[in-house]
Amino acid sequence: MELDQHRMPKVTNPRFRLHYHLMPPQGWMNDPNGFTYFQGYYHLFYQYHPYGVEWGPMHWGHARSRDLVHWETLPPALAPDSEADESGCFSGSAIVKDDRLFLIYTGHHVPDETHPDDFWQTQNVAVSDDGLHFYKLATNPVISTPPTDNSQHFRDPKVFERDGQYYLTLGSQTAATKTGRALLYRSANLIDWEYQGVITEATERSTAGFMWECPDFFRLNGQDLLVLSPQGIEATAKQNLNLYQTSYVAGQFDFQTLNYRHDELQELDHGHDFYAAQTMLAPDGRRILIGWMDMWEAEFPEQADGWAGAMTLPRELTWRHEQLYMFPVAEVRQLRTKQVLNENWQGTNRELQVPDPQHLELRLHANLTDWQGQQLTLRFQAGEQQLQVTYHKDDHEMVVTRAGRDAQRFAQLRPQEELDLQIWTDTSSVEIFANQGEAVFSERFYPTTSPQVTLQTDLPLAMQITGYNLY
Ligand code: DQQ
């Protein structure tokens, strides 16, 4: 589809542009949508406002990749130009059926722009034969009203196939209690959908949220996992500190009875910038997740340059030690251009000299068994801009501190003998993976000069340090 070039902001300064993460060509990006594999390409769509650097009438931006790391920007797939989605093509997902790519998305309707909170939402389908051109069904919407006990919040369909049936889960809110829940629908053909019921719901607003956005329901290593983005969970001292969360529950779901025995909601990523994550099943069976690497109501310094928003690295999900692990897909190794660090080091304080600290893959690997120290800190410092990663051995805690307001984020690790810290930096982002993805922090970080990278421990610690320059 064609955009009106005259109305589109231009990128005026490359200073914060990322080198290997997906970001909009210009304009605004939020949630990942329609993450799928079709005719030899990974496709990733996203919530896109081409006519401003802030959220606005939502389009579906579109990119594709052969390898999950080199992305080609394509023309937007959807614009809010039909009766079924007049105020926005909100989040949704994709699935391949009979060699055709089906997009299922939410049509947003605001009858009176002066009252943006008085809206209604429907579910719609668009189809493509080539992965480039998309046709909305003339019969849209495919789901025109929410269940009778639902509020107006009814969006973000995530479609999947199970035992020869199509299903989708939807983000929603119970009308009476104003609490979040995930709904289940079933279809034989992706067009005619039958409401099944509630997969699971918030029992309390303060601990589970008033609305669940972007649910994603899938099976991994014997677990039925529901990843969702709850709004309204109250922060505790060290958890749920972002405005909105992305969390998950794990358990066993029965598609006949809709009985879901699951444990508590857990945060999926502990960083300041992570939301609306979506997964896909790769052809080789890996479950891969991408999230929006930003947060609502955060500052977006890149807005001054004509764009806003980015995606995380694609991460492979695994289920280990009764929790989800996330770790960058193996394809990310292709980004290495040169090894810049490779040494065994023991000491308490040093600067890591690397040619380009903002495009770096860094790994610190230490055996903690005989170490009497308590604390290890890695710091990126550029003037006032500082991002610090600290491991506290006594309580097995990771703390990320980003200078500025609301600085700290926390994650608890299992007691173990080794510490393996892996970090990817990309111009204005830092992603931190502890112990192969047991704890993850996604951070936007905007140094305006090249940061100094330093390592500090309270007592000498032997570690292996490796680093690669990334393209
Ligand atoms: N963003 C979309 C909605 C979704 C929200 C609109 C989550 O579909 O619920 O841009 O960030």
Side-chain angles (χ1 to χ4, degrees), residues 402-419:
R402 191 178 64 180
R405 70 181 165 89
D406 182 26
Q408 291 195 309
R409 292 292 181 269
F410 307 85
Q412 199 64 44
L413 297 177
R414 293 182 307 117
Q416 52 210 296
E417 287 174 0
E418 291 185 11
L419 178 67

Side-chain angles (χ1 to χ4, degrees), residues 18 41 44 48 85 156 178 197 210 224 248-249 268 273 286 317 334 371 390 439 454:
L18 299 155
Y41 288 95
L44 186 62
Y48 177 43
D85 51 37
D156 311 336
K178 296 277 188 290
F210 61 78
D224 291 310
Y248 67 94
V249 294
L268 183 56
D273 296 296
R286 287 176 298 170
L317 294 182
Q334 296 171 36
W371 187 46
T390 302
T454 50

Side-chain angles (χ1 to χ4, degrees), residues 191-202:
I191 313 287
D192 302 302
W193 291 97
E194 191 189 332
Y195 178 51
Q196 303 293 294
V198 175
I199 297 177
T200 186
E201 60 195 311

Side-chain angles (χ1 to χ4, degrees), residues 117-304:
D117 291 338
D118 293 338
F119 60 77
W120 47 285
Q121 300 182 318
T122 61
Q123 315 314 323
N124 301 284
V125 169
V127 183
S128 176
D129 291 312
D130 61 2
L132 293 170
H133 304 90
F134 294 84
Y135 305 93
K136 295 177 184 173
L137 295 192
T139 49
N140 277 336
V142 293
I143 306 177
S144 53
T145 49
T148 49
D149 63 345
N150 209 82
S151 79
Q152 70 195 81
H153 291 280
F154 181 60
R155 56 181 175 271
D156 311 336
K158 177 71 182 1
V159 63
F160 58 98
E161 198 179 345
R162 184 70 67 86
D163 301 329
Q165 290 281 332
Y166 296 105
Y167 290 91
L168 60 81
T169 176
L170 268 165
S172 85
Q173 182 188 59
T174 309
T177 50
K178 296 277 188 290
T179 43
R181 62 181 184 175
L183 308 178
L184 186 70
Y185 283 73
R186 192 176 66 186
S187 173
N189 59 12
L190 297 172
I191 313 287
D192 302 302
W193 291 97
E194 191 189 332
Y195 178 51
Q196 303 293 294
V198 175
I199 297 177
T200 186
E201 60 195 311
T203 43
E204 247 183 85
R205 291 173 76 167
S206 60
T207 55
F210 61 78
M211 166 62 191
W212 287 3
E213 297 190 311
C214 304
D216 190 341
F217 198 40
F218 56 90
R219 203 162 163 82
L220 179 71
N221 303 127
Q223 295 291 318
D224 291 310
L225 285 147
L226 180 68
V227 171
L228 59 131
S229 293
Q231 296 178 297
I233 295 184
E234 281 172 21
T236 57
K238 295 188 175 179
Q239 284 177 7
N240 297 312
L241 294 167
N242 290 340
L243 176 64
Y244 301 141
Q245 273 56 58
T246 293
S247 314
Y248 67 94
V249 294
Q252 298 300 322
F253 184 72
D254 183 330
F255 278 80
Q256 303 305 318
T257 61
L258 305 196
N259 178 28
Y260 190 15
R261 279 189 296 110
H262 62 76
D263 55 15
E264 301 277 292
L265 268 181
Q266 295 190 54
E267 264 183 286
L268 183 56
D269 184 300
H270 302 268
H272 287 86
D273 296 296
F274 188 77
Y275 197 63
Q278 189 174 97
T279 73
M280 62 95 64
L281 196 59
D284 60 7
R286 287 176 298 170
R287 178 62 60 175
I288 301 174
L289 174 142
I290 284 191
W292 183 41
M293 190 163 50
D294 283 294
M295 182 45 58
W296 293 108
E297 295 180 24
E299 281 171 32
F300 291 83
E302 70 265 35
Q303 282 173 327

Side-chain angles (χ1 to χ4, degrees), residues 393-408:
K393 189 188 166 205
D394 48 357
D395 44 13
H396 317 286
E397 186 177 54
M398 301 278 315
V399 182
V400 169
T401 310
R402 191 178 64 180
R405 70 181 165 89
D406 182 26
Q408 291 195 309

